[in-house]
Amino acid sequence: FCIECPEQSHRRLLRAALRISVRCVIHVNALPASTATAVRLLHLMRESTLGLLLGVGFVLAVVLGRLFIWAQSRVSLSKWPSKSREMQGCTGGRVRTMAVLGSGGHTTEMVQLLRYLDFSAYRMTWVTAASDLTSVPKLKSVFSKQAKCSESEVFRKLRFEFSVIPRSREVKQSFLTSAVTTVVAFFFCIGVIMNKRPQLIFVNGPGTCVPVVMAALLMEFLFGWEVRIFFVESFCRTKSLSLTGKLLYPFADRFVVHWPELTEKWKKAEYFGVLL
């Protein structure tokens, strides 16, 4: 029988704890199976997260690079786009052309602009809003006289095609609800653009043309389907551009106005006199 002092007892307990710790470190089997599995899962998660981040970063770099290259040739605020964007002759047949109509005055102006176009060289698609009930009768009236045929036969003779889309904004519609209807029209227009694949788009200011042009620009950015946008401002705009004109001004290949005063502020605008 012997009595240990507290200091000796503490040393013995410390040596025993140290031996157990060393055994746990050296012998992996000393760890519980669940703990070892958790460690392996942690390493896999770390590797997969790193791979995911690298993949996302690569895709983002490609998208930003493509966006930069596309914007260099497309977006212009004070000059015409580069010569590489000039409309080249179409060697594969008629130029796939789209004209956006708005009810009332916009349709009248668009018809006056394009009535003398050689439709044997242009495959025309007219885009109208679902609630527009006046544009098609206007086309029949004007072009039947020009083609010297009946209104029932004029579209077949000139080989006109039509696409009907939801109206992006009704008269006196609030801006809040207009944003929603414009988004709906935009997604609808993506299908129209993918189906028609226009090479040339004529627009003159109606709100209907905004989702059409945006959808065409998206397809150009994603798939390289080049399109030329020809914007003619409304005749009634004498001192300022329309809201649609301001939105599409940076993206238009040619931007034409009817009043010379507008060319002083908007450097890319072109004035050729009154075209109507």
Side-chain angles (χ1 to χ4, degrees), residues 101 103 107 111 128 132-145 151-152 154-155 162:
L101 302 176
S103 57
T107 293
V111 171
T128 62
D132 181 5
L133 304 178
T134 62
S135 292
V136 173
K138 183 69 175 178
L139 287 178
K140 287 183 177 180
S141 175
V142 172
F143 288 108
S144 62
K145 296 177 182 178
E151 292 186 359
S152 61
V154 61
F155 292 160
F162 289 87

Side-chain angles (χ1 to χ4, degrees), residues 116-258:
Y116 298 113
L117 200 65
D118 182 7
F119 294 112
S120 63
Y122 295 88
R123 178 183 171 183
M124 285 299 303
T125 298
W126 302 90
V127 179
T128 62
S131 60
D132 181 5
L133 304 178
T134 62
S135 292
V136 173
K138 183 69 175 178
L139 287 178
K140 287 183 177 180
S141 175
V142 172
F143 288 108
S144 62
K145 296 177 182 178
Q146 181 176 325
K148 297 180 180 180
C149 62
S150 64
E151 292 186 359
S152 61
E153 298 177 350
V154 61
F155 292 160
R156 179 175 57 83
K157 183 177 181 178
L158 297 178
R159 293 185 289 179
F160 285 170
E161 299 176 11
F162 289 87
S163 293
V164 181
I165 65 173
R167 186 181 287 275
S168 58
R169 184 175 184 269
E170 298 286 352
V171 178
K172 296 183 180 180
Q173 183 179 351
S174 67
F175 285 102
L176 181 61
T177 57
S178 295
V180 177
T181 54
T182 300
V183 171
V184 173
F186 168 74
F187 283 106
F188 193 92
C189 289
I190 291 178
V192 173
I193 296 298
M194 293 185 71
N195 181 34
K196 300 299 183 180
R197 290 190 62 175
Q199 298 166 294
L200 178 63
I201 298 180
F202 286 101
V203 289
N204 68 337
T208 307
C209 71
V210 174
V212 175
V213 172
M214 290 297 123
L217 293 176
L218 178 63
M219 294 300 103
E220 183 182 69
F221 170 72
L222 293 177
F223 306 115
W225 297 352
E226 291 191 2
V227 60
R228 303 298 182 265
I229 300 171
F230 198 105
F231 189 99
V232 181
E233 186 57 279
S234 176
F235 176 78
C236 65
R237 289 290 174 172
T238 60
K239 296 182 179 180
S240 63
L241 300 182
S242 61
L243 177 59
T244 303
K246 293 176 181 178
L247 291 174
L248 301 184
Y249 178 83
F251 307 103
D253 289 281
R254 305 300 290 265
F255 195 97
V256 179
V257 295
H258 290 98

